[in-house]
Amino acid sequence: MEVEKDSKLSGDYTTKINKYAFACSVVASVISIIFGYDTGVMSGAMIFIEEDLKIDDMQIQVLAGILNICALVGALLAGRVSDYIGRRYTILLASIIFLLGSVLMGYGPNYAILLTGRCVAGIGVGFALMIAPVYSAEISSPSSRGFLTSLPELCISIGILSGYVSNYFFARLTLQVGWRIMLGLAAVPSLLLAFFILRLPESPRWLVMQGRLGEAKRVLLQVSNSEHEAQVRFSDIKSAAGIDENCTGDNVKVKNSNGQNIWKELILRPSPPVRWMLLAAIGIHFFEHATGIEAVVLYGPRIFKKAGIHSKNKLLLAQVGTGITRIIFITIATFLLDKVGRRKLLLTSVGGMIFALVGLGLGLTIVEHSKEKLVWALSLCIGATYTYVMFFSVGLAPITWVYSSEIFPLRLRAQGHSIGVAVNRLMNATISITFISIYKAITIGGAFFMFAGIAVLALIFFFFFLPETRGRSLEEMEELFSKKSPPTKQPTNNGAAQT
């Protein structure tokens, strides 16, 4: 695959995605497959858990949402941990936590143990969501960063689809065994990842922050397409870390900010660019889940049941269709991010989501008030659901993670991104825990009309507060967010951003 030239890389060649950087991003993104599987598999497993353990709707909501409450804690911890032990070992730690959580859920003799396992897995989710995009962003060049940084979101979708497929096939086993195998199966990729992750190089930007310049340069030579590209990136990273560009030593002393100073620069006394970055990161993470995706991903079988499907197998099969739709359009998005740009894709995505959410709300309202089965209304609900997932997946889903992992300065990146992830998990947990209660209070159609209204607010926010970042190096972001108003023009053909 070929992409546009980098703005700072001169020459008459077209920059290609570095195969080694691509392989590193793929391996690092496996942690996202495990998270996606844990999310997707629970949507179908809850049908059988509810029957086997005799739990009520409130317990179901807590079981669904506890993963993300614990993920919030994991995300806030992961930022500091990754700055201390490195990006690679943070991914290793996340895989070990996932392994423990999967074993506990697969054992699950009662609700308490099941909830504990779900909570442990949630800590792993927080680590995974914070570290996979940051690692991918830090090893990629500006011209391919959108593609590589969107791989974790693609892997989440692969994991969600795998969870749906697991639901469909293991549903044929006995009630007591089926759902436990569904949940425990995530231990296998967790164990494999723990072995393979040690073969990856460390993030060159993290190495520079530690003063390990020799190692950082060697990694950059591996993940760049030429020695010239590696040298340009190395120079930019040193400058961002406050190291003299003429410094040639392999190991130097770097004055690293402690955690207290980082939080002060992010929260207490942020500069105008950092304040804007933080607002953008929090906003995009907030709206990703406030617009209702978790209701569809986690409670899809209930939505389809309300629409008129009652067979368990058909409910699970309809949910598989949701997973397939998601993975197809996220795959398309990975190839568009560095060509179309973040901003255009995001605004198109949210606009389509509004249209689909209104259609789904309308279809569910008609079905709920009809005394007979309306095939056309059922078709409207299914079509609107898949359309919503399609538009969500082609824009808002991958761009959320790409955007917040690339906009912060090097010194603030891990912990800045972790704040966004914490907000993401908070909103995910809020929707997970309250969706059943919300639709019982305002009807299920009303719930989706509510999500459509929130999506309108998201469209307004994105239009005014999110500048285009395509073609910018990570070290140029502070300059971009120093502008008085968000730039709306796309980079020119040679990759140079225009404001």
Short mmCIF file of all heavy atoms in Angstrom, two decimals, residues 428-491:
data_model
loop_
_atom_site.label_atom_id
_atom_site.label_comp_id
_atom_site.label_asym_id
_atom_site.label_seq_id
_atom_site.Cartn_x
_atom_site.Cartn_y
_atom_site.Cartn_z
N ASN A 428 -19.03 4.45 28.54
CA ASN A 428 -19.38 3.08 28.18
C ASN A 428 -20.09 2.40 29.35
O ASN A 428 -21.14 1.75 29.17
CB ASN A 428 -18.10 2.31 27.81
CG ASN A 428 -18.38 1.00 27.13
OD1 ASN A 428 -19.17 0.19 27.62
ND2 ASN A 428 -17.71 0.74 26.03
N ALA A 429 -19.53 2.56 30.55
CA ALA A 429 -20.14 1.97 31.74
C ALA A 429 -21.51 2.56 32.02
O ALA A 429 -22.45 1.84 32.39
CB ALA A 429 -19.22 2.17 32.95
N THR A 430 -21.64 3.87 31.82
CA THR A 430 -22.92 4.54 32.08
C THR A 430 -24.02 3.97 31.18
O THR A 430 -25.12 3.66 31.65
CB THR A 430 -22.78 6.06 31.85
OG1 THR A 430 -21.79 6.58 32.73
CG2 THR A 430 -24.10 6.77 32.10
N ILE A 431 -23.72 3.83 29.89
CA ILE A 431 -24.71 3.28 28.96
C ILE A 431 -24.98 1.81 29.27
O ILE A 431 -26.13 1.35 29.27
CB ILE A 431 -24.24 3.44 27.50
CG1 ILE A 431 -24.02 4.92 27.16
CG2 ILE A 431 -25.25 2.82 26.53
CD1 ILE A 431 -25.24 5.79 27.32
N SER A 432 -23.91 1.05 29.56
CA SER A 432 -24.06 -0.38 29.86
C SER A 432 -24.95 -0.63 31.06
O SER A 432 -25.81 -1.51 31.06
CB SER A 432 -22.68 -1.02 30.12
OG SER A 432 -21.84 -0.86 29.02
N ILE A 433 -24.75 0.17 32.11
CA ILE A 433 -25.45 -0.06 33.37
C ILE A 433 -26.88 0.50 33.35
O ILE A 433 -27.76 -0.01 34.04
CB ILE A 433 -24.65 0.56 34.54
CG1 ILE A 433 -23.34 -0.23 34.74
CG2 ILE A 433 -25.44 0.56 35.83
CD1 ILE A 433 -22.42 0.35 35.79
N THR A 434 -27.10 1.53 32.53
CA THR A 434 -28.40 2.21 32.60
C THR A 434 -29.33 1.96 31.42
O THR A 434 -30.50 2.35 31.46
CB THR A 434 -28.20 3.74 32.71
OG1 THR A 434 -27.54 4.22 31.52
CG2 THR A 434 -27.37 4.10 33.94
N PHE A 435 -28.86 1.31 30.35
CA PHE A 435 -29.68 1.22 29.13
C PHE A 435 -31.03 0.56 29.37
O PHE A 435 -32.07 1.05 28.93
CB PHE A 435 -28.93 0.49 28.02
CG PHE A 435 -29.74 0.34 26.76
CD1 PHE A 435 -30.08 1.45 26.00
CD2 PHE A 435 -30.20 -0.90 26.35
CE1 PHE A 435 -30.85 1.33 24.85
CE2 PHE A 435 -30.96 -1.04 25.20
CZ PHE A 435 -31.28 0.08 24.45
N ILE A 436 -31.04 -0.55 30.08
CA ILE A 436 -32.32 -1.24 30.34
C ILE A 436 -33.25 -0.33 31.14
O ILE A 436 -34.44 -0.20 30.83
CB ILE A 436 -32.09 -2.57 31.09
CG1 ILE A 436 -31.32 -3.55 30.19
CG2 ILE A 436 -33.42 -3.19 31.51
CD1 ILE A 436 -30.95 -4.86 30.88
N SER A 437 -32.71 0.33 32.16
CA SER A 437 -33.52 1.25 32.96
C SER A 437 -34.02 2.42 32.14
O SER A 437 -35.17 2.86 32.29
CB SER A 437 -32.70 1.77 34.15
OG SER A 437 -32.28 0.70 34.98
N ILE A 438 -33.17 2.95 31.23
CA ILE A 438 -33.57 4.08 30.39
C ILE A 438 -34.72 3.68 29.48
O ILE A 438 -35.73 4.39 29.38
CB ILE A 438 -32.38 4.59 29.55
CG1 ILE A 438 -31.37 5.31 30.44
CG2 ILE A 438 -32.85 5.53 28.44
CD1 ILE A 438 -30.08 5.67 29.74
N TYR A 439 -34.59 2.53 28.79
CA TYR A 439 -35.65 2.19 27.84
C TYR A 439 -36.94 1.77 28.55
O TYR A 439 -38.03 1.90 27.99
CB TYR A 439 -35.18 1.18 26.79
CG TYR A 439 -35.18 -0.29 27.14
CD1 TYR A 439 -36.36 -0.98 27.42
CD2 TYR A 439 -33.99 -1.03 27.12
CE1 TYR A 439 -36.35 -2.34 27.69
CE2 TYR A 439 -33.98 -2.38 27.39
CZ TYR A 439 -35.16 -3.03 27.67
OH TYR A 439 -35.16 -4.39 27.94
N LYS A 440 -36.82 1.31 29.78
CA LYS A 440 -38.05 1.02 30.53
C LYS A 440 -38.74 2.31 30.96
O LYS A 440 -39.96 2.35 31.10
CB LYS A 440 -37.72 0.17 31.76
CG LYS A 440 -37.46 -1.30 31.43
CD LYS A 440 -37.21 -2.12 32.69
CE LYS A 440 -37.04 -3.61 32.35
NZ LYS A 440 -36.80 -4.43 33.58
N ALA A 441 -37.95 3.37 31.13
CA ALA A 441 -38.51 4.65 31.57
C ALA A 441 -39.09 5.47 30.42
O ALA A 441 -40.13 6.11 30.57
CB ALA A 441 -37.44 5.46 32.30
N ILE A 442 -38.40 5.47 29.26
CA ILE A 442 -38.83 6.34 28.15
C ILE A 442 -39.15 5.56 26.88
O ILE A 442 -39.29 6.16 25.81
CB ILE A 442 -37.78 7.42 27.85
CG1 ILE A 442 -36.46 6.79 27.37
CG2 ILE A 442 -37.54 8.30 29.06
CD1 ILE A 442 -35.42 7.83 26.91
N THR A 443 -39.28 4.24 26.97
CA THR A 443 -39.50 3.30 25.85
C THR A 443 -38.19 3.10 25.08
O THR A 443 -37.33 3.99 25.05
CB THR A 443 -40.60 3.73 24.85
OG1 THR A 443 -40.11 4.78 24.01
CG2 THR A 443 -41.87 4.16 25.58
N ILE A 444 -38.07 1.97 24.42
CA ILE A 444 -36.82 1.67 23.71
C ILE A 444 -36.66 2.56 22.49
O ILE A 444 -35.55 2.96 22.14
CB ILE A 444 -36.76 0.16 23.34
CG1 ILE A 444 -35.33 -0.20 22.91
CG2 ILE A 444 -37.80 -0.20 22.29
CD1 ILE A 444 -35.04 -1.69 22.93
N GLY A 445 -37.78 2.91 21.85
CA GLY A 445 -37.69 3.85 20.74
C GLY A 445 -37.24 5.21 21.22
O GLY A 445 -36.41 5.88 20.58
N GLY A 446 -37.76 5.65 22.37
CA GLY A 446 -37.37 6.93 22.95
C GLY A 446 -35.89 6.98 23.28
O GLY A 446 -35.25 8.04 23.15
N ALA A 447 -35.33 5.84 23.71
CA ALA A 447 -33.90 5.79 24.03
C ALA A 447 -33.06 6.12 22.81
O ALA A 447 -32.06 6.85 22.89
CB ALA A 447 -33.54 4.41 24.58
N PHE A 448 -33.47 5.60 21.65
CA PHE A 448 -32.68 5.86 20.44
C PHE A 448 -32.93 7.24 19.87
O PHE A 448 -32.05 7.82 19.22
CB PHE A 448 -32.91 4.74 19.42
CG PHE A 448 -32.20 3.47 19.80
CD1 PHE A 448 -32.86 2.44 20.45
CD2 PHE A 448 -30.84 3.34 19.58
CE1 PHE A 448 -32.20 1.29 20.84
CE2 PHE A 448 -30.16 2.20 19.96
CZ PHE A 448 -30.84 1.17 20.60
N PHE A 449 -34.09 7.82 20.11
CA PHE A 449 -34.29 9.23 19.77
C PHE A 449 -33.37 10.10 20.63
O PHE A 449 -32.84 11.11 20.17
CB PHE A 449 -35.76 9.63 19.98
CG PHE A 449 -36.70 9.14 18.90
CD1 PHE A 449 -37.88 8.50 19.23
CD2 PHE A 449 -36.40 9.32 17.56
CE1 PHE A 449 -38.75 8.05 18.25
CE2 PHE A 449 -37.26 8.87 16.56
CZ PHE A 449 -38.44 8.24 16.91
N MET A 450 -33.19 9.71 21.89
CA MET A 450 -32.29 10.43 22.78
C MET A 450 -30.85 10.36 22.25
O MET A 450 -30.14 11.38 22.20
CB MET A 450 -32.35 9.82 24.19
CG MET A 450 -31.40 10.47 25.20
SD MET A 450 -31.30 9.55 26.76
CE MET A 450 -30.30 8.13 26.25
N PHE A 451 -30.42 9.16 21.83
CA PHE A 451 -29.07 9.01 21.27
C PHE A 451 -28.91 9.87 20.00
O PHE A 451 -27.84 10.42 19.76
CB PHE A 451 -28.78 7.55 20.95
CG PHE A 451 -28.63 6.67 22.17
CD1 PHE A 451 -29.21 5.40 22.21
CD2 PHE A 451 -27.92 7.10 23.27
CE1 PHE A 451 -29.08 4.58 23.32
CE2 PHE A 451 -27.77 6.29 24.40
CZ PHE A 451 -28.36 5.03 24.43
N ALA A 452 -29.98 9.97 19.20
CA ALA A 452 -29.92 10.81 17.99
C ALA A 452 -29.70 12.27 18.36
O ALA A 452 -28.91 12.98 17.70
CB ALA A 452 -31.21 10.65 17.18
N GLY A 453 -30.36 12.74 19.41
CA GLY A 453 -30.17 14.11 19.87
C GLY A 453 -28.75 14.37 20.34
O GLY A 453 -28.16 15.42 20.03
N ILE A 454 -28.18 13.40 21.05
CA ILE A 454 -26.79 13.53 21.50
C ILE A 454 -25.84 13.55 20.31
O ILE A 454 -24.84 14.28 20.29
CB ILE A 454 -26.43 12.38 22.47
CG1 ILE A 454 -27.28 12.49 23.75
CG2 ILE A 454 -24.95 12.41 22.82
CD1 ILE A 454 -27.15 11.30 24.68
N ALA A 455 -26.15 12.76 19.27
CA ALA A 455 -25.32 12.73 18.06
C ALA A 455 -25.32 14.08 17.35
O ALA A 455 -24.30 14.48 16.76
CB ALA A 455 -25.80 11.63 17.11
N VAL A 456 -26.43 14.81 17.40
CA VAL A 456 -26.49 16.16 16.82
C VAL A 456 -25.50 17.08 17.56
O VAL A 456 -24.76 17.85 16.94
CB VAL A 456 -27.92 16.73 16.88
CG1 VAL A 456 -27.92 18.21 16.49
CG2 VAL A 456 -28.86 15.94 15.98
N LEU A 457 -25.48 16.98 18.88
CA LEU A 457 -24.53 17.78 19.67
C LEU A 457 -23.09 17.39 19.34
O LEU A 457 -22.20 18.25 19.27
CB LEU A 457 -24.79 17.56 21.18
CG LEU A 457 -26.14 18.03 21.71
CD1 LEU A 457 -26.26 17.69 23.20
CD2 LEU A 457 -26.33 19.53 21.49
N ALA A 458 -22.86 16.08 19.11
CA ALA A 458 -21.52 15.61 18.74
C ALA A 458 -21.08 16.22 17.42
O ALA A 458 -19.92 16.66 17.27
CB ALA A 458 -21.52 14.08 18.64
N LEU A 459 -21.99 16.27 16.45
CA LEU A 459 -21.67 16.84 15.13
C LEU A 459 -21.25 18.31 15.27
O LEU A 459 -20.27 18.75 14.65
CB LEU A 459 -22.88 16.72 14.21
CG LEU A 459 -22.68 17.10 12.74
CD1 LEU A 459 -21.72 16.14 12.06
CD2 LEU A 459 -24.01 17.12 12.00
N ILE A 460 -21.96 19.06 16.09
CA ILE A 460 -21.63 20.48 16.31
C ILE A 460 -20.26 20.61 16.98
O ILE A 460 -19.42 21.43 16.57
CB ILE A 460 -22.73 21.15 17.17
CG1 ILE A 460 -24.06 21.16 16.42
CG2 ILE A 460 -22.31 22.56 17.57
CD1 ILE A 460 -25.25 21.57 17.28
N PHE A 461 -20.01 19.79 17.99
CA PHE A 461 -18.73 19.83 18.71
C PHE A 461 -17.58 19.52 17.77
O PHE A 461 -16.56 20.23 17.75
CB PHE A 461 -18.76 18.85 19.88
CG PHE A 461 -17.46 18.78 20.64
CD1 PHE A 461 -17.18 19.68 21.65
CD2 PHE A 461 -16.51 17.81 20.33
CE1 PHE A 461 -15.97 19.62 22.35
CE2 PHE A 461 -15.31 17.74 21.03
CZ PHE A 461 -15.05 18.66 22.04
N PHE A 462 -17.69 18.45 17.00
CA PHE A 462 -16.61 18.04 16.11
C PHE A 462 -16.33 19.11 15.05
O PHE A 462 -15.18 19.34 14.68
CB PHE A 462 -16.94 16.71 15.44
CG PHE A 462 -17.07 15.55 16.39
CD1 PHE A 462 -17.88 14.47 16.08
CD2 PHE A 462 -16.41 15.54 17.60
CE1 PHE A 462 -18.01 13.40 16.95
CE2 PHE A 462 -16.52 14.49 18.49
CZ PHE A 462 -17.34 13.41 18.16
N PHE A 463 -17.39 19.75 14.56
CA PHE A 463 -17.22 20.75 13.51
C PHE A 463 -16.40 21.95 14.02
O PHE A 463 -15.53 22.47 13.31
CB PHE A 463 -18.58 21.23 13.01
CG PHE A 463 -18.49 22.23 11.89
CD1 PHE A 463 -18.33 21.81 10.58
CD2 PHE A 463 -18.56 23.59 12.16
CE1 PHE A 463 -18.22 22.74 9.55
CE2 PHE A 463 -18.46 24.53 11.13
CZ PHE A 463 -18.29 24.10 9.82
N PHE A 464 -16.64 22.37 15.25
CA PHE A 464 -16.01 23.59 15.75
C PHE A 464 -14.70 23.35 16.50
O PHE A 464 -13.87 24.27 16.60
CB PHE A 464 -16.98 24.35 16.66
CG PHE A 464 -18.08 25.06 15.92
CD1 PHE A 464 -19.37 24.55 15.90
CD2 PHE A 464 -17.82 26.21 15.20
CE1 PHE A 464 -20.38 25.19 15.21
CE2 PHE A 464 -18.82 26.87 14.50
CZ PHE A 464 -20.10 26.36 14.50
N PHE A 465 -14.47 22.15 17.05
CA PHE A 465 -13.33 21.98 17.95
C PHE A 465 -12.27 20.97 17.50
O PHE A 465 -11.23 20.87 18.15
CB PHE A 465 -13.83 21.58 19.36
CG PHE A 465 -14.57 22.68 20.06
CD1 PHE A 465 -15.95 22.69 20.11
CD2 PHE A 465 -13.88 23.72 20.66
CE1 PHE A 465 -16.64 23.71 20.75
CE2 PHE A 465 -14.55 24.75 21.30
CZ PHE A 465 -15.93 24.75 21.34
N LEU A 466 -12.49 20.24 16.43
CA LEU A 466 -11.51 19.24 16.02
C LEU A 466 -10.85 19.62 14.70
O LEU A 466 -11.46 19.49 13.63
CB LEU A 466 -12.16 17.85 15.89
CG LEU A 466 -12.10 16.98 17.16
CD1 LEU A 466 -12.87 17.63 18.29
CD2 LEU A 466 -12.63 15.58 16.89
N PRO A 467 -9.61 20.12 14.74
CA PRO A 467 -8.89 20.45 13.51
C PRO A 467 -8.40 19.18 12.81
O PRO A 467 -8.31 18.12 13.42
CB PRO A 467 -7.71 21.28 14.00
CG PRO A 467 -7.47 20.81 15.39
CD PRO A 467 -8.82 20.46 15.94
N GLU A 468 -8.07 19.30 11.52
CA GLU A 468 -7.54 18.17 10.77
C GLU A 468 -6.10 17.90 11.18
O GLU A 468 -5.28 18.83 11.29
CB GLU A 468 -7.61 18.47 9.27
CG GLU A 468 -7.07 17.36 8.39
CD GLU A 468 -7.80 16.06 8.59
OE1 GLU A 468 -8.96 15.94 8.17
OE2 GLU A 468 -7.20 15.15 9.22
N THR A 469 -5.76 16.63 11.43
CA THR A 469 -4.40 16.26 11.84
C THR A 469 -3.67 15.42 10.80
O THR A 469 -2.52 15.07 11.00
CB THR A 469 -4.45 15.47 13.16
OG1 THR A 469 -5.28 14.32 12.99
CG2 THR A 469 -4.98 16.32 14.29
N ARG A 470 -4.34 15.10 9.71
CA ARG A 470 -3.71 14.26 8.68
C ARG A 470 -2.45 14.93 8.14
O ARG A 470 -2.43 16.11 7.83
CB ARG A 470 -4.68 14.03 7.52
CG ARG A 470 -4.10 13.23 6.36
CD ARG A 470 -5.16 12.86 5.35
NE ARG A 470 -5.64 14.02 4.61
CZ ARG A 470 -5.30 14.31 3.35
NH1 ARG A 470 -4.45 13.53 2.72
NH2 ARG A 470 -5.80 15.35 2.74
N GLY A 471 -1.38 14.14 8.00
CA GLY A 471 -0.13 14.63 7.44
C GLY A 471 0.77 15.35 8.41
O GLY A 471 1.90 15.70 8.06
N ARG A 472 0.30 15.59 9.62
CA ARG A 472 1.12 16.26 10.64
C ARG A 472 1.95 15.23 11.41
O ARG A 472 1.45 14.17 11.77
CB ARG A 472 0.24 17.02 11.63
CG ARG A 472 -0.56 18.16 10.99
CD ARG A 472 0.27 19.41 10.92
NE ARG A 472 -0.54 20.56 10.54
CZ ARG A 472 -0.13 21.82 10.64
NH1 ARG A 472 1.08 22.08 11.14
NH2 ARG A 472 -0.90 22.81 10.26
N SER A 473 3.20 15.57 11.70
CA SER A 473 3.97 14.70 12.57
C SER A 473 3.49 14.88 14.00
O SER A 473 2.85 15.89 14.33
CB SER A 473 5.47 15.03 12.48
OG SER A 473 5.73 16.25 13.15
N LEU A 474 3.78 13.92 14.87
CA LEU A 474 3.35 14.02 16.27
C LEU A 474 3.97 15.25 16.93
O LEU A 474 3.38 15.84 17.83
CB LEU A 474 3.75 12.76 17.04
CG LEU A 474 3.04 11.46 16.62
CD1 LEU A 474 3.55 10.29 17.46
CD2 LEU A 474 1.54 11.58 16.74
N GLU A 475 5.17 15.61 16.46
CA GLU A 475 5.86 16.74 17.06
C GLU A 475 5.29 18.09 16.59
O GLU A 475 5.64 19.14 17.15
CB GLU A 475 7.36 16.67 16.74
CG GLU A 475 8.12 15.61 17.53
CD GLU A 475 7.67 14.18 17.16
OE1 GLU A 475 7.50 13.89 15.97
OE2 GLU A 475 7.49 13.37 18.09
N GLU A 476 4.45 18.10 15.57
CA GLU A 476 3.86 19.35 15.06
C GLU A 476 2.50 19.67 15.67
O GLU A 476 1.92 20.71 15.39
CB GLU A 476 3.69 19.26 13.53
CG GLU A 476 4.99 19.24 12.76
CD GLU A 476 4.75 19.08 11.27
OE1 GLU A 476 4.07 18.12 10.86
OE2 GLU A 476 5.24 19.92 10.51
N MET A 477 1.95 18.76 16.48
CA MET A 477 0.58 18.92 16.97
C MET A 477 0.40 20.17 17.84
O MET A 477 -0.63 20.83 17.79
CB MET A 477 0.14 17.68 17.75
CG MET A 477 -0.02 16.45 16.90
SD MET A 477 -1.28 16.67 15.62
CE MET A 477 -1.06 15.15 14.70
N GLU A 478 1.41 20.49 18.64
CA GLU A 478 1.28 21.65 19.53
C GLU A 478 1.13 22.94 18.72
O GLU A 478 0.37 23.83 19.08
CB GLU A 478 2.48 21.74 20.48
CG GLU A 478 2.18 22.51 21.74
CD GLU A 478 3.11 22.16 22.88
OE1 GLU A 478 4.01 21.32 22.71
OE2 GLU A 478 2.92 22.75 23.96
N GLU A 479 1.85 23.00 17.59
CA GLU A 479 1.73 24.15 16.70
C GLU A 479 0.32 24.21 16.09
O GLU A 479 -0.30 25.28 16.01
CB GLU A 479 2.76 24.05 15.58
CG GLU A 479 2.66 25.16 14.54
CD GLU A 479 3.54 24.89 13.33
OE1 GLU A 479 4.39 23.97 13.40
OE2 GLU A 479 3.37 25.60 12.32
N LEU A 480 -0.20 23.04 15.68
CA LEU A 480 -1.54 22.98 15.08
C LEU A 480 -2.60 23.47 16.06
O LEU A 480 -3.50 24.23 15.70
CB LEU A 480 -1.84 21.54 14.66
CG LEU A 480 -3.26 21.24 14.16
CD1 LEU A 480 -3.55 22.02 12.88
CD2 LEU A 480 -3.44 19.75 13.91
N PHE A 481 -2.49 23.04 17.33
CA PHE A 481 -3.49 23.41 18.33
C PHE A 481 -3.21 24.78 18.96
O PHE A 481 -3.92 25.19 19.87
CB PHE A 481 -3.58 22.34 19.41
CG PHE A 481 -4.41 21.16 19.01
CD1 PHE A 481 -3.86 20.14 18.24
CD2 PHE A 481 -5.74 21.06 19.36
CE1 PHE A 481 -4.62 19.04 17.85
CE2 PHE A 481 -6.52 19.98 18.97
CZ PHE A 481 -5.96 18.97 18.21
N SER A 482 -2.23 25.49 18.43
CA SER A 482 -1.97 26.86 18.87
C SER A 482 -2.76 27.86 18.05
O SER A 482 -2.82 29.04 18.39
CB SER A 482 -0.47 27.19 18.75
OG SER A 482 0.28 26.37 19.62
N LYS A 483 -3.34 27.41 16.93
CA LYS A 483 -4.10 28.31 16.07
C LYS A 483 -5.35 28.78 16.79
O LYS A 483 -5.91 28.09 17.63
CB LYS A 483 -4.50 27.59 14.77
CG LYS A 483 -3.33 26.97 14.02
CD LYS A 483 -2.31 28.00 13.60
CE LYS A 483 -1.14 27.34 12.86
NZ LYS A 483 -0.10 28.29 12.51
N LYS A 484 -5.82 29.97 16.43
CA LYS A 484 -7.00 30.55 17.08
C LYS A 484 -8.29 29.84 16.70
O LYS A 484 -9.25 29.84 17.44
CB LYS A 484 -7.10 32.04 16.77
CG LYS A 484 -5.99 32.86 17.40
CD LYS A 484 -6.18 34.34 17.15
CE LYS A 484 -5.07 35.16 17.83
NZ LYS A 484 -5.23 36.60 17.57
N SER A 485 -8.32 29.24 15.51
CA SER A 485 -9.52 28.52 15.08
C SER A 485 -9.09 27.26 14.38
O SER A 485 -8.04 27.22 13.74
CB SER A 485 -10.38 29.37 14.15
OG SER A 485 -9.65 29.72 12.99
N PRO A 486 -9.89 26.17 14.48
CA PRO A 486 -9.52 24.90 13.87
C PRO A 486 -9.39 25.03 12.36
O PRO A 486 -10.26 25.57 11.70
CB PRO A 486 -10.69 23.98 14.23
CG PRO A 486 -11.34 24.63 15.40
CD PRO A 486 -11.16 26.09 15.20
N PRO A 487 -8.26 24.53 11.78
CA PRO A 487 -8.12 24.55 10.34
C PRO A 487 -9.07 23.55 9.72
O PRO A 487 -9.29 22.48 10.24
CB PRO A 487 -6.66 24.12 10.12
CG PRO A 487 -6.30 23.34 11.33
CD PRO A 487 -7.10 23.93 12.45
N THR A 488 -9.64 23.91 8.61
CA THR A 488 -10.60 23.02 7.96
C THR A 488 -10.11 22.51 6.62
O THR A 488 -10.69 21.61 6.05
CB THR A 488 -11.94 23.73 7.75
OG1 THR A 488 -11.73 24.91 6.98
CG2 THR A 488 -12.57 24.10 9.08
N LYS A 489 -9.03 23.11 6.09
CA LYS A 489 -8.54 22.65 4.80
C LYS A 489 -7.71 21.39 4.96
O LYS A 489 -7.03 21.20 5.95
CB LYS A 489 -7.69 23.74 4.13
CG LYS A 489 -8.53 24.95 3.70
CD LYS A 489 -7.65 25.95 2.95
CE LYS A 489 -8.45 27.16 2.51
NZ LYS A 489 -7.61 28.14 1.80
N GLN A 490 -7.71 20.55 3.94
CA GLN A 490 -6.95 19.32 3.95
C GLN A 490 -5.51 19.59 3.54
O GLN A 490 -5.21 20.60 2.88
CB GLN A 490 -7.57 18.31 2.96
CG GLN A 490 -9.00 17.96 3.29
CD GLN A 490 -9.10 17.18 4.58
OE1 GLN A 490 -8.22 16.42 4.90
NE2 GLN A 490 -10.15 17.38 5.33
N PRO A 491 -4.58 18.70 3.89
CA PRO A 491 -3.22 18.84 3.41
C PRO A 491 -3.17 18.77 1.89
O PRO A 491 -4.03 18.16 1.28
CB PRO A 491 -2.49 17.64 4.04
CG PRO A 491 -3.31 17.28 5.21
CD PRO A 491 -4.72 17.61 4.82
#
